[in-house]
């Protein structure tokens, strides 16, 4: 079989994550041999599976449900996509960057603090399937850009956002906040 480009996204399957917009955008792509892997579960899963069928892309989309081998899945993919309508500081994006993936994400919440437009990925407006499709096409059809952004992504994740350190800080903050509440 010809080489496949694998796009991966990770998150709870809820409306706010915008996965329906991603499916819409994915169905508009004309680049051959693409596959979209959706990792996560949630109340929207059935709707998303029905939409996949309605868009005629069932053969190209994999719903993996909840997984505990996300780093391995990320390293097997070529690009990370996150179409959220709102986001804090996304751990999914950080993990994707650490895996050396270029990222196409919506310009919401902390996403623009993580993904540098034109440097480690592409930022798009939320809820805009044509814009998302366009950004994915740019990334998929320019291997040099793709590779450069993936490398920069990984460097940035290592240098600026050591995940274990950050998570420890988050946990400490949450514990403190919970103690104040109780």
């Amino acid at each position: 079989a010809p080489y496949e480009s694998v796009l991966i996204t990770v998150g709870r399957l809820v409306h706010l994550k915008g996965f329906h917009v991603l499916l819409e955008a994915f169905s508009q792509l004309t680049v051959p041999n693409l596959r979209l892997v959706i990792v996560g579960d949630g109340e929207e899963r059935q709707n998303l599976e029905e939409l996949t069928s309605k868009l005629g892309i069932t053969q190209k989309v994999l719903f993996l449900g909840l997984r505990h081998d996300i780093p391995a899945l990320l390293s097997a993919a070529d690009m990370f996509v996150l179409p959220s309508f709102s986001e804090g500081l996304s751990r999914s994006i950080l993990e994707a960057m650490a895996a050396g993936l270029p990222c196409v994400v919506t310009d919401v919440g902390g996403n623009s603090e993580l993904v540098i437009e034109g440097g480690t990925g592409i930022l798009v407006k939320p809820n805009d399937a044509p814009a998302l499709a366009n950004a994915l096409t740019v990334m998929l059809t320019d291997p040099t850009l793709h590779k450069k952004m993936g490398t920069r992504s990984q460097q940035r994740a290592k240098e600026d956002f050591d995940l274990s350190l950050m998570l420890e800080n988050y946990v400490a903050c949450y514990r403190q906040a919970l103690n104040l509440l109780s």
Side-chain angles (χ1 to χ4, degrees):
Y3 175 75
E4 278 186 349
S5 287
V6 178
L7 281 57
I8 191 168
T9 189
V10 179
R12 285 177 308 120
L13 304 189
V14 294
H15 184 77
L16 264 184
K17 290 289 181 185
F19 292 127
H20 54 290
V21 180
L22 173 55
L23 289 170
E24 201 75 58
F26 186 76
S27 74
Q28 296 170 16
L29 299 177
T30 54
V31 183
N33 304 316
L34 290 183
R35 183 150 291 218
L36 172 61
V37 174
I38 298 175
V39 183
D41 216 340
E43 64 207 31
E44 283 288 301
R45 180 162 179 171
Q46 200 182 340
N47 293 342
L48 293 170
E49 287 177 345
E50 285 166 13
L51 178 60
T52 302
S53 171
K54 203 175 83 183
L55 292 168
I57 52 175
T58 310
Q59 299 304 314
K60 298 178 179 181
V61 179
L62 282 172
F63 286 89
L64 295 187
L66 287 176
R67 295 288 291 253
H68 300 288
D69 56 348
I70 291 178
L73 293 169
L74 288 169
S75 61
D78 299 292
M79 191 193 317
F80 182 79
V81 196
L82 196 67
S84 333
F85 298 161
S86 95
E87 199 63 66
L89 200 63
S90 166
R91 203 176 116 190
S92 300
I93 292 177
L94 271 175
E95 288 182 341
M97 289 173 68
L101 295 182
C103 300
V104 176
V105 304
T106 45
D107 192 358
V108 297
N111 292 1
S112 60
E113 290 169 46
L114 298 175
V115 176
I116 298 165
E117 170 62 41
T120 63
I122 301 175
L123 294 162
V124 294
K125 278 199 323 244
N127 205 9
D128 186 339
L132 183 55
N134 189 42
L136 293 171
T137 301
V138 166
M139 195 73 94
L140 288 162
T141 52
D142 188 340
T144 315
L145 178 78
H146 185 280
K147 194 171 165 42
K148 194 163 59 179
M149 285 186 177
T151 305
R152 284 193 188 148
S153 238
Q154 198 162 34
Q155 282 170 343
R156 182 162 164 76
K158 282 203 174 94
E159 289 163 18
D160 302 346
F161 301 98
D162 180 85
L163 196 58
S164 54
L165 189 69
M166 261 180 60
L167 290 176
E168 277 172 37
N169 291 342
Y170 274 133
V171 169
C173 280
Y174 283 128
R175 286 219 170 97
Q176 200 176 359
L178 288 171
N179 288 338
L180 293 174
L181 293 173
S182 58

